[in-house]
Amino acid sequence: MISADRLKAFEFFRGFGNEQLEQLAVLATEEIYDAGAQVHKSGDMARALFMIEEGKVVLIMDSRLGPHKPAMQVTVDVITKGDSMGWSAVVEPYAYTLGALCIDRTKIIAIDAAALRTLMEEDKVLGYEVMRAAARLISNRLTHTRIILVGERGLSTKSDS
């Protein structure tokens, strides 16, 4: 278990009350990863919602350019101190949509996904707040992905001329 005060440092928990943070802290553990370690792969069952306390994580996906070509890893987003990842922990089918690879030594707070979903069912107000925060996280990730795609499109059209 970690302290509720540590959770307050994350944008994800903006608007949560002290009692709600206490309930969530009971479900949380600290994990430390070395640079190069993979937190999870795309398609893995979501085991936790993650808050980055220290370090840097890249969210990656495989991009296939053809049926007989090897997959290329594409960076979708870079997650750093104060950021969150792993919204799949609370959204069906509860499988990560991207891989997560540490590029620095990284300290993460992991909130157990199954226990979190149970708590959300039992406490509908808390469940609503978690889903609002997850929706903000998804929206931000989509915005970042769009920016990356527009940037890559712009580069590809410049190199074609």
Side-chain angles (χ1 to χ4, degrees):
M1 180 178 124
I2 60 127
S3 73
D5 285 338
R6 285 173 70 184
L7 295 180
K8 286 180 184 178
F10 296 94
E11 177 67 21
F12 187 92
F13 296 114
R14 179 185 51 162
F16 283 64
N18 288 335
E19 185 178 310
Q20 292 172 324
L21 293 172
E22 291 289 343
Q23 289 177 285
L24 293 167
V26 172
L27 311 178
T29 57
E30 182 179 290
E31 298 178 358
I32 297 176
Y33 295 88
D34 290 327
Q38 189 147 27
V39 180
H40 58 76
K41 295 178 184 174
S42 176
D44 285 352
M45 292 310 298
R47 66 175 183 83
L49 175 65
F50 300 104
M51 309 294 140
I52 310 302
E53 271 198 310
E54 296 174 9
K56 195 178 293 182
V57 177
V58 291
L59 298 179
I60 53 176
M61 65 179 281
D62 287 340
S63 177
R64 301 199 183 277
L65 300 175
H68 304 295
K69 302 213 180 207
M72 276 184 10
Q73 280 193 338
V74 177
T75 298
V76 174
D77 208 348
V78 179
I79 308 301
T80 59
K81 180 179 180 174
D83 291 333
S84 308
M85 64 182 196
W87 55 263
S88 300
V90 295
V91 178
E92 288 186 60
Y94 311 121
Y96 296 120
T97 58
L98 301 169
L101 182 67
C102 298
I103 56 175
D104 290 334
R105 183 177 185 277
T106 304
K107 184 172 20 169
I108 294 174
I109 294 174
I111 300 174
D112 180 84
L116 176 57
R117 291 191 301 269
T118 298
L119 180 59
M120 291 168 64
E121 280 294 320
E122 293 170 355
D123 184 337
K124 303 295 188 201
V125 173
L126 176 75
Y128 175 73
E129 290 302 325
V130 170
M131 292 309 289
R132 281 183 56 195
R136 282 193 311 267
L137 179 57
I138 294 165
S139 176
N140 289 339
R141 185 82 16 82
L142 181 58
T143 299
H144 291 168
T145 303
R146 284 182 176 152
I147 290 167
I148 290 168
L149 285 173
V150 167
E152 287 179 358
R153 282 282 165 109
L155 288 175
S156 69
T157 57
K158 283 187 177 215
S159 64
D160 288 346
S161 51

